[in-house]
Short mmCIF file of all heavy atoms in Angstrom, two decimals:
data_model
loop_
_atom_site.label_atom_id
_atom_site.label_comp_id
_atom_site.label_asym_id
_atom_site.label_seq_id
_atom_site.Cartn_x
_atom_site.Cartn_y
_atom_site.Cartn_z
N MET A 2 73.19 97.16 82.93
CA MET A 2 74.16 96.09 82.77
C MET A 2 73.43 94.81 82.39
O MET A 2 72.36 94.51 82.93
CB MET A 2 74.92 95.87 84.07
CG MET A 2 75.97 94.81 84.00
SD MET A 2 76.86 94.79 85.56
CE MET A 2 77.76 93.30 85.34
N ASP A 15 67.54 91.80 80.89
CA ASP A 15 67.47 90.82 81.97
C ASP A 15 68.22 91.22 83.24
O ASP A 15 67.89 90.77 84.32
CB ASP A 15 67.99 89.47 81.48
CG ASP A 15 69.44 89.53 80.97
OD1 ASP A 15 69.93 90.63 80.69
OD2 ASP A 15 70.06 88.46 80.86
N ASP A 19 68.63 100.20 87.95
CA ASP A 19 68.20 101.59 87.90
C ASP A 19 68.30 102.10 89.33
O ASP A 19 67.34 102.04 90.09
CB ASP A 19 66.77 101.67 87.37
CG ASP A 19 66.29 103.10 87.22
OD1 ASP A 19 67.13 104.01 87.30
OD2 ASP A 19 65.08 103.29 87.02
N VAL A 29 77.05 92.76 92.28
CA VAL A 29 76.24 91.86 91.47
C VAL A 29 76.93 90.50 91.39
O VAL A 29 78.14 90.39 91.53
CB VAL A 29 76.01 92.39 90.03
CG1 VAL A 29 75.23 93.68 90.04
CG2 VAL A 29 77.31 92.56 89.30
N GLY A 55 75.83 107.26 78.75
CA GLY A 55 77.26 107.00 78.92
C GLY A 55 77.82 106.08 77.84
O GLY A 55 77.09 105.52 77.03
N THR A 62 83.61 87.16 81.52
CA THR A 62 84.04 86.39 82.68
C THR A 62 84.71 85.11 82.18
O THR A 62 84.49 84.66 81.06
CB THR A 62 82.83 86.05 83.57
OG1 THR A 62 81.84 85.40 82.78
CG2 THR A 62 82.25 87.32 84.20
N LYS A 77 90.93 62.50 64.56
CA LYS A 77 91.39 61.21 64.02
C LYS A 77 92.81 61.38 63.49
O LYS A 77 93.22 62.47 63.11
CB LYS A 77 90.46 60.74 62.92
CG LYS A 77 89.03 60.56 63.39
CD LYS A 77 88.31 59.54 62.57
CE LYS A 77 86.88 59.32 63.01
NZ LYS A 77 86.63 59.08 64.37
N ILE A 81 100.85 59.23 68.06
CA ILE A 81 100.90 58.63 69.40
C ILE A 81 101.86 59.35 70.34
O ILE A 81 101.79 59.18 71.54
CB ILE A 81 101.22 57.12 69.35
CG1 ILE A 81 102.57 56.87 68.67
CG2 ILE A 81 100.11 56.36 68.68
CD1 ILE A 81 103.01 55.43 68.72
N THR A 88 93.31 74.68 77.58
CA THR A 88 93.31 75.97 78.25
C THR A 88 92.76 75.74 79.64
O THR A 88 91.70 75.15 79.80
CB THR A 88 92.44 77.00 77.49
OG1 THR A 88 92.97 77.15 76.17
CG2 THR A 88 92.41 78.34 78.20
N ALA A 109 84.48 58.13 85.16
CA ALA A 109 84.38 57.89 86.61
C ALA A 109 85.65 58.22 87.38
O ALA A 109 85.63 58.30 88.61
CB ALA A 109 84.00 56.43 86.86
N ARG A 112 90.89 61.75 91.46
CA ARG A 112 92.22 61.69 92.05
C ARG A 112 92.36 60.50 93.00
O ARG A 112 93.38 59.84 93.04
CB ARG A 112 92.53 62.99 92.77
CG ARG A 112 93.93 63.02 93.35
CD ARG A 112 94.25 64.35 93.94
NE ARG A 112 94.65 65.24 92.85
CZ ARG A 112 95.23 66.40 93.04
NH1 ARG A 112 95.45 66.84 94.25
NH2 ARG A 112 95.56 67.15 92.02
N HIS A 115 91.16 55.95 90.42
CA HIS A 115 91.36 55.79 88.98
C HIS A 115 92.05 54.45 88.74
O HIS A 115 93.02 54.11 89.40
CB HIS A 115 92.15 56.96 88.38
CG HIS A 115 93.44 57.24 89.06
ND1 HIS A 115 93.53 58.01 90.18
CD2 HIS A 115 94.70 56.85 88.78
CE1 HIS A 115 94.78 58.08 90.58
NE2 HIS A 115 95.51 57.39 89.74
N TRP A 122 97.80 62.02 85.43
CA TRP A 122 98.86 63.01 85.56
C TRP A 122 98.27 64.23 86.23
O TRP A 122 97.16 64.65 85.92
CB TRP A 122 99.39 63.36 84.18
CG TRP A 122 100.53 64.30 84.13
CD1 TRP A 122 101.80 64.07 84.55
CD2 TRP A 122 100.52 65.62 83.61
NE1 TRP A 122 102.59 65.17 84.33
CE2 TRP A 122 101.83 66.14 83.75
CE3 TRP A 122 99.55 66.43 83.04
CZ2 TRP A 122 102.17 67.42 83.35
CZ3 TRP A 122 99.90 67.70 82.64
CH2 TRP A 122 101.20 68.18 82.79
N GLU A 123 98.99 64.81 87.18
CA GLU A 123 98.54 66.05 87.81
C GLU A 123 99.63 67.11 87.67
O GLU A 123 100.81 66.79 87.68
CB GLU A 123 98.16 65.83 89.27
CG GLU A 123 99.28 65.34 90.16
CD GLU A 123 98.81 65.07 91.58
OE1 GLU A 123 98.30 63.98 91.83
OE2 GLU A 123 98.99 65.97 92.43
N GLY A 135 106.89 57.89 75.64
CA GLY A 135 106.87 56.96 74.52
C GLY A 135 106.23 55.64 74.91
O GLY A 135 106.44 55.14 76.01
N TYR A 144 90.93 56.75 72.17
CA TYR A 144 91.20 57.08 73.57
C TYR A 144 90.22 58.15 74.04
O TYR A 144 89.69 58.92 73.23
CB TYR A 144 92.63 57.59 73.75
CG TYR A 144 93.66 56.50 73.67
CD1 TYR A 144 94.29 56.21 72.47
CD2 TYR A 144 93.97 55.74 74.79
CE1 TYR A 144 95.22 55.19 72.38
CE2 TYR A 144 94.90 54.72 74.72
CZ TYR A 144 95.52 54.45 73.51
OH TYR A 144 96.43 53.44 73.44
N VAL A 148 90.17 66.53 81.78
CA VAL A 148 90.98 67.28 82.74
C VAL A 148 90.03 67.82 83.80
O VAL A 148 89.11 68.58 83.49
CB VAL A 148 91.74 68.44 82.06
CG1 VAL A 148 92.50 69.24 83.10
CG2 VAL A 148 92.67 67.91 80.98
N THR A 156 91.02 70.39 96.34
CA THR A 156 89.58 70.12 96.35
C THR A 156 89.06 70.17 94.93
O THR A 156 89.40 71.08 94.17
CB THR A 156 88.83 71.15 97.20
OG1 THR A 156 89.17 72.47 96.73
CG2 THR A 156 89.20 71.04 98.67
#
Side-chain angles (χ1 to χ4, degrees):
M2 182 175 169
D15 59 342
D19 183 12
V29 297
T62 54
K77 300 207 180 310
I81 59 174
T88 300
R112 183 175 278 193
H115 53 277
W122 184 69
E123 61 183 84
Y144 285 95
V148 176
T156 54

